[in-house]
Amino acid sequence: METAIRNYEDVDSWKTVMFLYTSALKEVGTKLEILNDEFQHVHSYNPIEHIKTRIKTPESIVKKLKRNGHETSIENMVKYVNDIAGVRLICSFTSDIYKLAEMIGNQTDLKVLSIKDYIKNPKESGYKSYHMLVSVPIFLSDSVVDTKVEIQIRTIAMDFWASLEHKIYYKFEGNAPDYISRDLKECADMVATLDDKMLQLNEAILACVANQETQAEPQEKVADNMLKEQEELLERTGSV
């Protein structure tokens, strides 16, 4: 990426970088839609409820650079801000998260740069999500540029909590009173309990359906055998 922008003026460099990140979002978004369609085709089930994409605003990029002690420059932006291009996958169950992460990791033209599992290791605030930083090759007319995209995978319940937590903390600019932080953490624990319960219910339903299908198979075989015997009897007696 640094090589791709080195010979441009600031304005043109900014446009080039934004073009690359936007292109990377299209590439990753298409891959995820294909994976979801394939899963539906093979398993008759969609692991992805929603796909959200966004490009970080210039203001957010500058704030993040300053917060982390870096000078504001395009080079620093590309080097130190990993979530300029972001994709968020919303799933029904926590088990879907790890299935999707595995499928994404198996894409040969995506390179997984880092993984942060905030589901097994939640943040102190209670935040839960699965983060993957990947790079995707963008094929231009005269070069190929590897561009970073952050993929966040979370359940509907996790996304609901994170969205409200972000709105609440934004109002306090990260300095919310202790009692609000405490209540938010309690809500995060409730969300985790809900996710666990819904996953247990789903697994129980799948087990019940599988058991019913297993019991139905012998009955179907008996019916098939009876029909076959009846046809053979009719053939022997000359009725057919």
Side-chain angles (χ1 to χ4, degrees), residues 29 40 47 55-56 71 78 92 97-98 120 126 146 149 153 184 195 210 213 220 233:
Q40 173 66 38
I55 295 289
K56 211 171 187 66
E71 293 183 3
V78 170
S92 298
I97 294 173
Y98 294 100
K120 293 180 179 177
D146 289 328
V149 176
I153 317 175
L184 277 170
D195 267 336
E213 290 176 349
E220 291 175 359
L233 177 62

PDB file of all heavy atoms in Angstrom, residues 29 40 47 55-56 71 78 92 97-98 120 126 146 149 153 184 195 210 213 220 233:
ATOM      1  N   GLY A  29     -16.777  -8.368   0.505  1.00  0.00           N
ATOM      2  CA  GLY A  29     -18.227  -8.502   0.563  1.00  0.00           C
ATOM      3  C   GLY A  29     -18.745  -9.561  -0.394  1.00  0.00           C
ATOM      4  O   GLY A  29     -19.617 -10.376  -0.039  1.00  0.00           O
ATOM      5  N   GLN A  40     -26.032 -22.101   2.186  1.00  0.00           N
ATOM      6  CA  GLN A  40     -27.467 -22.304   1.992  1.00  0.00           C
ATOM      7  C   GLN A  40     -27.707 -23.465   1.022  1.00  0.00           C
ATOM      8  O   GLN A  40     -28.588 -24.302   1.224  1.00  0.00           O
ATOM      9  CB  GLN A  40     -28.103 -21.028   1.450  1.00  0.00           C
ATOM     10  CG  GLN A  40     -29.571 -21.166   1.043  1.00  0.00           C
ATOM     11  CD  GLN A  40     -30.474 -21.449   2.216  1.00  0.00           C
ATOM     12  OE1 GLN A  40     -30.273 -20.911   3.302  1.00  0.00           O
ATOM     13  NE2 GLN A  40     -31.465 -22.300   2.018  1.00  0.00           N
ATOM     14  N   PRO A  47     -25.786 -18.930   7.636  1.00  0.00           N
ATOM     15  CA  PRO A  47     -25.143 -18.519   8.893  1.00  0.00           C
ATOM     16  C   PRO A  47     -25.101 -17.010   9.077  1.00  0.00           C
ATOM     17  O   PRO A  47     -24.994 -16.519  10.194  1.00  0.00           O
ATOM     18  CB  PRO A  47     -23.728 -19.100   8.773  1.00  0.00           C
ATOM     19  CG  PRO A  47     -23.480 -19.171   7.301  1.00  0.00           C
ATOM     20  CD  PRO A  47     -24.814 -19.476   6.669  1.00  0.00           C
ATOM     21  N   ILE A  55     -16.564   2.534   5.549  1.00  0.00           N
ATOM     22  CA  ILE A  55     -15.238   3.127   5.475  1.00  0.00           C
ATOM     23  C   ILE A  55     -15.133   4.146   6.600  1.00  0.00           C
ATOM     24  O   ILE A  55     -16.016   4.992   6.770  1.00  0.00           O
ATOM     25  CB  ILE A  55     -14.994   3.821   4.121  1.00  0.00           C
ATOM     26  CG1 ILE A  55     -15.002   2.803   2.978  1.00  0.00           C
ATOM     27  CG2 ILE A  55     -13.670   4.580   4.139  1.00  0.00           C
ATOM     28  CD1 ILE A  55     -13.807   1.884   2.956  1.00  0.00           C
ATOM     29  N   LYS A  56     -14.080   4.088   7.375  1.00  0.00           N
ATOM     30  CA  LYS A  56     -13.892   5.000   8.509  1.00  0.00           C
ATOM     31  C   LYS A  56     -13.804   6.445   8.001  1.00  0.00           C
ATOM     32  O   LYS A  56     -13.177   6.719   6.977  1.00  0.00           O
ATOM     33  CB  LYS A  56     -12.614   4.626   9.256  1.00  0.00           C
ATOM     34  CG  LYS A  56     -12.628   4.895  10.747  1.00  0.00           C
ATOM     35  CD  LYS A  56     -11.403   4.287  11.396  1.00  0.00           C
ATOM     36  CE  LYS A  56     -11.459   4.386  12.914  1.00  0.00           C
ATOM     37  NZ  LYS A  56     -12.527   3.587  13.499  1.00  0.00           N
ATOM     38  N   GLU A  71       1.604  10.802  14.325  1.00  0.00           N
ATOM     39  CA  GLU A  71       1.346  12.012  13.551  1.00  0.00           C
ATOM     40  C   GLU A  71       0.320  11.715  12.463  1.00  0.00           C
ATOM     41  O   GLU A  71       0.217  10.590  11.973  1.00  0.00           O
ATOM     42  CB  GLU A  71       2.641  12.528  12.913  1.00  0.00           C
ATOM     43  CG  GLU A  71       3.665  13.036  13.911  1.00  0.00           C
ATOM     44  CD  GLU A  71       4.890  13.592  13.210  1.00  0.00           C
ATOM     45  OE1 GLU A  71       4.888  13.619  11.955  1.00  0.00           O
ATOM     46  OE2 GLU A  71       5.837  13.992  13.903  1.00  0.00           O
ATOM     47  N   VAL A  78      -2.269   4.368   6.818  1.00  0.00           N
ATOM     48  CA  VAL A  78      -2.222   3.053   6.186  1.00  0.00           C
ATOM     49  C   VAL A  78      -1.516   2.045   7.082  1.00  0.00           C
ATOM     50  O   VAL A  78      -1.923   0.881   7.195  1.00  0.00           O
ATOM     51  CB  VAL A  78      -1.518   3.138   4.815  1.00  0.00           C
ATOM     52  CG1 VAL A  78      -1.246   1.745   4.254  1.00  0.00           C
ATOM     53  CG2 VAL A  78      -2.346   3.958   3.840  1.00  0.00           C
ATOM     54  N   SER A  92     -26.749 -15.661  13.820  1.00  0.00           N
ATOM     55  CA  SER A  92     -27.789 -16.026  14.781  1.00  0.00           C
ATOM     56  C   SER A  92     -27.194 -16.611  16.057  1.00  0.00           C
ATOM     57  O   SER A  92     -27.629 -16.279  17.163  1.00  0.00           O
ATOM     58  CB  SER A  92     -28.752 -17.042  14.153  1.00  0.00           C
ATOM     59  OG  SER A  92     -29.417 -16.501  13.038  1.00  0.00           O
ATOM     60  N   ILE A  97     -20.310 -18.144  14.321  1.00  0.00           N
ATOM     61  CA  ILE A  97     -19.152 -17.243  14.271  1.00  0.00           C
ATOM     62  C   ILE A  97     -17.895 -18.018  13.922  1.00  0.00           C
ATOM     63  O   ILE A  97     -17.124 -17.630  13.032  1.00  0.00           O
ATOM     64  CB  ILE A  97     -18.987 -16.512  15.616  1.00  0.00           C
ATOM     65  CG1 ILE A  97     -20.179 -15.571  15.844  1.00  0.00           C
ATOM     66  CG2 ILE A  97     -17.660 -15.754  15.664  1.00  0.00           C
ATOM     67  CD1 ILE A  97     -20.201 -14.919  17.212  1.00  0.00           C
ATOM     68  N   TYR A  98     -17.675 -19.133  14.602  1.00  0.00           N
ATOM     69  CA  TYR A  98     -16.449 -19.894  14.378  1.00  0.00           C
ATOM     70  C   TYR A  98     -16.478 -20.655  13.054  1.00  0.00           C
ATOM     71  O   TYR A  98     -15.426 -20.871  12.439  1.00  0.00           O
ATOM     72  CB  TYR A  98     -16.201 -20.822  15.567  1.00  0.00           C
ATOM     73  CG  TYR A  98     -15.906 -20.052  16.828  1.00  0.00           C
ATOM     74  CD1 TYR A  98     -16.880 -19.833  17.801  1.00  0.00           C
ATOM     75  CD2 TYR A  98     -14.651 -19.483  17.038  1.00  0.00           C
ATOM     76  CE1 TYR A  98     -16.610 -19.099  18.947  1.00  0.00           C
ATOM     77  CE2 TYR A  98     -14.367 -18.754  18.177  1.00  0.00           C
ATOM     78  CZ  TYR A  98     -15.348 -18.559  19.126  1.00  0.00           C
ATOM     79  OH  TYR A  98     -15.080 -17.810  20.260  1.00  0.00           O
ATOM     80  N   LYS A 120     -14.212 -15.390  23.585  1.00  0.00           N
ATOM     81  CA  LYS A 120     -13.586 -16.179  24.647  1.00  0.00           C
ATOM     82  C   LYS A 120     -12.881 -15.283  25.661  1.00  0.00           C
ATOM     83  O   LYS A 120     -12.733 -15.662  26.830  1.00  0.00           O
ATOM     84  CB  LYS A 120     -12.589 -17.166  24.033  1.00  0.00           C
ATOM     85  CG  LYS A 120     -13.245 -18.246  23.191  1.00  0.00           C
ATOM     86  CD  LYS A 120     -12.221 -19.201  22.610  1.00  0.00           C
ATOM     87  CE  LYS A 120     -12.887 -20.290  21.791  1.00  0.00           C
ATOM     88  NZ  LYS A 120     -11.894 -21.193  21.147  1.00  0.00           N
ATOM     89  N   GLY A 126     -17.291  -5.664  28.744  1.00  0.00           N
ATOM     90  CA  GLY A 126     -18.264  -6.692  28.424  1.00  0.00           C
ATOM     91  C   GLY A 126     -18.400  -6.919  26.930  1.00  0.00           C
ATOM     92  O   GLY A 126     -19.121  -7.822  26.493  1.00  0.00           O
ATOM     93  N   ASP A 146      -2.031  -5.216  -1.914  1.00  0.00           N
ATOM     94  CA  ASP A 146      -2.666  -5.883  -0.780  1.00  0.00           C
ATOM     95  C   ASP A 146      -3.239  -4.826   0.156  1.00  0.00           C
ATOM     96  O   ASP A 146      -2.517  -3.934   0.624  1.00  0.00           O
ATOM     97  CB  ASP A 146      -1.648  -6.753  -0.039  1.00  0.00           C
ATOM     98  CG  ASP A 146      -1.251  -7.977  -0.838  1.00  0.00           C
ATOM     99  OD1 ASP A 146      -2.106  -8.487  -1.583  1.00  0.00           O
ATOM    100  OD2 ASP A 146      -0.086  -8.416  -0.732  1.00  0.00           O
ATOM    101  N   VAL A 149      -8.488  -5.218   5.517  1.00  0.00           N
ATOM    102  CA  VAL A 149      -9.907  -5.120   5.863  1.00  0.00           C
ATOM    103  C   VAL A 149     -10.105  -5.798   7.216  1.00  0.00           C
ATOM    104  O   VAL A 149      -9.610  -6.906   7.427  1.00  0.00           O
ATOM    105  CB  VAL A 149     -10.815  -5.795   4.816  1.00  0.00           C
ATOM    106  CG1 VAL A 149     -12.281  -5.749   5.256  1.00  0.00           C
ATOM    107  CG2 VAL A 149     -10.656  -5.138   3.449  1.00  0.00           C
ATOM    108  N   ILE A 153     -17.183 -10.410  13.492  1.00  0.00           N
ATOM    109  CA  ILE A 153     -18.259 -11.404  13.448  1.00  0.00           C
ATOM    110  C   ILE A 153     -18.884 -11.475  14.836  1.00  0.00           C
ATOM    111  O   ILE A 153     -18.178 -11.676  15.830  1.00  0.00           O
ATOM    112  CB  ILE A 153     -17.732 -12.795  13.037  1.00  0.00           C
ATOM    113  CG1 ILE A 153     -16.743 -12.688  11.872  1.00  0.00           C
ATOM    114  CG2 ILE A 153     -18.889 -13.708  12.657  1.00  0.00           C
ATOM    115  CD1 ILE A 153     -16.091 -14.010  11.499  1.00  0.00           C
ATOM    116  N   LEU A 184     -23.794  -1.443  32.191  1.00  0.00           N
ATOM    117  CA  LEU A 184     -23.528  -1.952  30.841  1.00  0.00           C
ATOM    118  C   LEU A 184     -22.898  -3.338  30.902  1.00  0.00           C
ATOM    119  O   LEU A 184     -23.219  -4.215  30.092  1.00  0.00           O
ATOM    120  CB  LEU A 184     -22.609  -0.994  30.082  1.00  0.00           C
ATOM    121  CG  LEU A 184     -23.277   0.208  29.418  1.00  0.00           C
ATOM    122  CD1 LEU A 184     -22.222   1.186  28.910  1.00  0.00           C
ATOM    123  CD2 LEU A 184     -24.180  -0.232  28.273  1.00  0.00           C
ATOM    124  N   ASP A 195     -27.438 -15.588  24.522  1.00  0.00           N
ATOM    125  CA  ASP A 195     -26.792 -16.285  23.406  1.00  0.00           C
ATOM    126  C   ASP A 195     -26.599 -17.770  23.726  1.00  0.00           C
ATOM    127  O   ASP A 195     -26.847 -18.635  22.877  1.00  0.00           O
ATOM    128  CB  ASP A 195     -25.431 -15.641  23.096  1.00  0.00           C
ATOM    129  CG  ASP A 195     -25.538 -14.577  22.020  1.00  0.00           C
ATOM    130  OD1 ASP A 195     -26.487 -14.626  21.210  1.00  0.00           O
ATOM    131  OD2 ASP A 195     -24.662 -13.692  21.982  1.00  0.00           O
ATOM    132  N   ALA A 210     -33.402 -34.591  13.976  1.00  0.00           N
ATOM    133  CA  ALA A 210     -32.592 -35.725  13.526  1.00  0.00           C
ATOM    134  C   ALA A 210     -33.141 -37.038  14.071  1.00  0.00           C
ATOM    135  O   ALA A 210     -33.177 -38.062  13.371  1.00  0.00           O
ATOM    136  CB  ALA A 210     -31.145 -35.536  13.973  1.00  0.00           C
ATOM    137  N   GLU A 213     -36.279 -38.004  12.131  1.00  0.00           N
ATOM    138  CA  GLU A 213     -35.930 -38.517  10.802  1.00  0.00           C
ATOM    139  C   GLU A 213     -35.412 -39.945  10.895  1.00  0.00           C
ATOM    140  O   GLU A 213     -35.709 -40.781  10.044  1.00  0.00           O
ATOM    141  CB  GLU A 213     -34.886 -37.610  10.151  1.00  0.00           C
ATOM    142  CG  GLU A 213     -35.432 -36.247   9.760  1.00  0.00           C
ATOM    143  CD  GLU A 213     -34.353 -35.323   9.205  1.00  0.00           C
ATOM    144  OE1 GLU A 213     -33.155 -35.681   9.328  1.00  0.00           O
ATOM    145  OE2 GLU A 213     -34.706 -34.266   8.665  1.00  0.00           O
ATOM    146  N   GLU A 220     -40.673 -45.997   6.715  1.00  0.00           N
ATOM    147  CA  GLU A 220     -40.694 -45.843   5.271  1.00  0.00           C
ATOM    148  C   GLU A 220     -40.243 -47.129   4.581  1.00  0.00           C
ATOM    149  O   GLU A 220     -40.793 -47.534   3.551  1.00  0.00           O
ATOM    150  CB  GLU A 220     -39.792 -44.678   4.866  1.00  0.00           C
ATOM    151  CG  GLU A 220     -40.332 -43.316   5.285  1.00  0.00           C
ATOM    152  CD  GLU A 220     -39.360 -42.195   4.970  1.00  0.00           C
ATOM    153  OE1 GLU A 220     -38.260 -42.496   4.452  1.00  0.00           O
ATOM    154  OE2 GLU A 220     -39.695 -41.026   5.242  1.00  0.00           O
ATOM    155  N   LEU A 233     -46.752 -60.176  -5.608  1.00  0.00           N
ATOM    156  CA  LEU A 233     -47.890 -61.115  -5.500  1.00  0.00           C
ATOM    157  C   LEU A 233     -48.847 -60.958  -6.685  1.00  0.00           C
ATOM    158  O   LEU A 233     -49.303 -61.963  -7.266  1.00  0.00           O
ATOM    159  CB  LEU A 233     -48.632 -60.864  -4.186  1.00  0.00           C
ATOM    160  CG  LEU A 233     -49.894 -61.723  -3.949  1.00  0.00           C
ATOM    161  CD1 LEU A 233     -49.487 -63.212  -3.904  1.00  0.00           C
ATOM    162  CD2 LEU A 233     -50.573 -61.328  -2.640  1.00  0.00           C
TER     163      LEU A 233
END
